[in-house]
Amino acid sequence: MTSSVTSTTSMTSPRSVPAKTPTAPALHPASWLVPLHRPERPRARLVCVPNAGGGATTFRGWADLLPGDVELWAVRSPGRETRISEKPLHRLSMIVDPVIDGLSRLDPLPFALFGHSMGALVSFTVTRRLRSRGLPGPGRLFVSGWNAPHVRDGMPRLGQLGDEDLMRVLHRLDGIPPEVIGNAELMSLIMPVLRADLNAAESYVHEEEPPLACPISVFGGNGDPTTTAAGLGAWSAQTGAAFRLRLLPGGHFFIHTQRRAMLRAIRGDLGTCR
């Protein structure tokens, strides 16, 4: 197993502001995966899972910074964006299983999974579950903004906080723009989804299994209070293949401010995805 740690600086990119979306009817399970870029002759596929409260629009614009022959898909869970009329899910397995179902419906193609924050935990669990079912797994797992799943990080359970306390934490993490926090109508749409996602992540119980066969690339913000260098580095125990940790400037949502630097690294690592 190889391992390295890199510290990188880059230009900042503007953070997208969640937009209010219209009510939509319940959708087919395949709608869990949203195509963001589908080239005519794809070489590989990158499937992205957002943070708690996030949706597929988190990854809007990523295709412009990835190789043109890489398909880009994103997970869209119930309760957000075009699935806003659906009830959000509060258990990780309720999210993982439909994602696996969605992946099984796609044309065969080498693929990688990327997950930020809670999305890292979902992506990791999906990879494990694919292995246990004898299904093709990702050629590489990208995880971001989340300590290794076997690490007890001592973080408070955010899902148990009252609304005001939770909003203060989110403001500190730069997770929701101030103009959204100040909009009661938008927050009434966001909070149930966010709480369901937090409960799903915080109910996770780690079980020991053999390391994954695929390489793992880890990204972290050097100012993120929710992770530590040791906790991020501990992901190395979850792979029997190559491992790389990159620390980028910024807090928990460095994936927005350091988007170019991170996607430049992802481009390089995708070159080895088979």
Side-chain angles (χ1 to χ4, degrees):
M1 185 191 320
T2 60
S3 173
S4 61
V5 180
T6 306
S7 179
T8 311
T9 58
S10 176
M11 294 174 57
T12 60
S13 302
R15 179 158 55 86
S16 59
V17 176
K20 184 179 177 181
T21 52
T23 300
L27 301 176
H28 190 276
S31 65
W32 275 80
L33 297 185
V34 179
L36 300 179
H37 177 62
R38 300 192 72 181
E40 185 176 349
R41 296 180 179 178
R43 169 182 62 84
R45 175 182 296 131
L46 178 63
V47 180
C48 301
V49 189
N51 52 277
T57 55
T58 299
F59 308 102
R60 185 174 48 201
W62 277 36
D64 296 337
L65 299 172
L66 290 171
D69 59 356
V70 171
E71 278 190 1
L72 180 64
W73 294 72
V75 169
R76 177 179 288 154
S77 301
R80 66 214 77 201
E81 299 172 353
T82 57
R83 305 186 69 182
I84 198 169
S85 66
E86 300 176 60
K87 185 178 180 179
L89 306 175
H90 61 279
R91 287 289 180 266
L92 205 69
S93 61
M94 300 168 74
I95 299 168
V96 167
D97 288 340
V99 170
I100 291 175
D101 180 63
L103 289 172
S104 70
R105 296 168 186 264
L106 300 179
D107 293 334
L109 198 65
F111 72 100
L113 292 176
F114 171 92
H116 179 66
S117 194
M118 170 192 169
L121 190 59
V122 173
S123 298
F124 171 71
T125 307
V126 165
T127 304
R128 275 187 158 191
R129 199 78 55 90
L130 287 169
R131 178 178 64 180
S132 69
R133 296 180 185 180
L135 298 172
R140 183 175 287 267
L141 176 62
F142 295 97
V143 292
S144 166
W146 194 267
N147 286 331
H150 60 282
V151 172
R152 295 183 180 275
D153 54 19
M155 281 291 294
R157 291 186 173 271
L158 300 183
Q160 296 179 359
L161 297 178
D163 284 355
E164 290 188 6
D165 289 337
L166 180 55
M167 283 191 284
R168 275 194 289 269
V169 171
L170 294 172
H171 179 67
R172 271 202 316 273
L173 295 177
D174 199 25
I176 299 180
E179 61 269 27
V180 175
I181 289 181
N183 186 315
E185 184 180 4
L186 274 179
M187 289 306 299
S188 70
L189 297 174
I190 292 171
M191 290 301 281
V193 175
L194 181 60
R195 286 194 177 280
D197 285 354
L198 289 172
N199 287 333
E202 292 171 352
S203 65
Y204 172 81
V205 177
H206 184 71
E207 296 181 2
E208 293 299 325
E209 292 186 15
L212 298 173
C214 67
I216 296 180
S217 296
V218 180
F219 298 93
N222 60 13
D224 183 356
T226 72
T227 61
T228 64
L232 294 169
W235 277 100
S236 62
Q238 297 299 332
T239 178
F243 171 80
R244 186 163 188 180
L245 167 62
R246 297 176 176 95
L247 297 176
L248 303 172
H252 189 61
F253 288 95
F254 68 91
I255 66 165
H256 301 303
T257 59
Q258 299 297 324
R259 183 173 65 172
R260 288 184 178 276
M262 188 177 70
L263 287 174
R264 187 163 53 243
I266 289 175
R267 282 180 66 115
D269 289 353
L270 278 174
T272 63
C273 181
R274 296 288 185 272

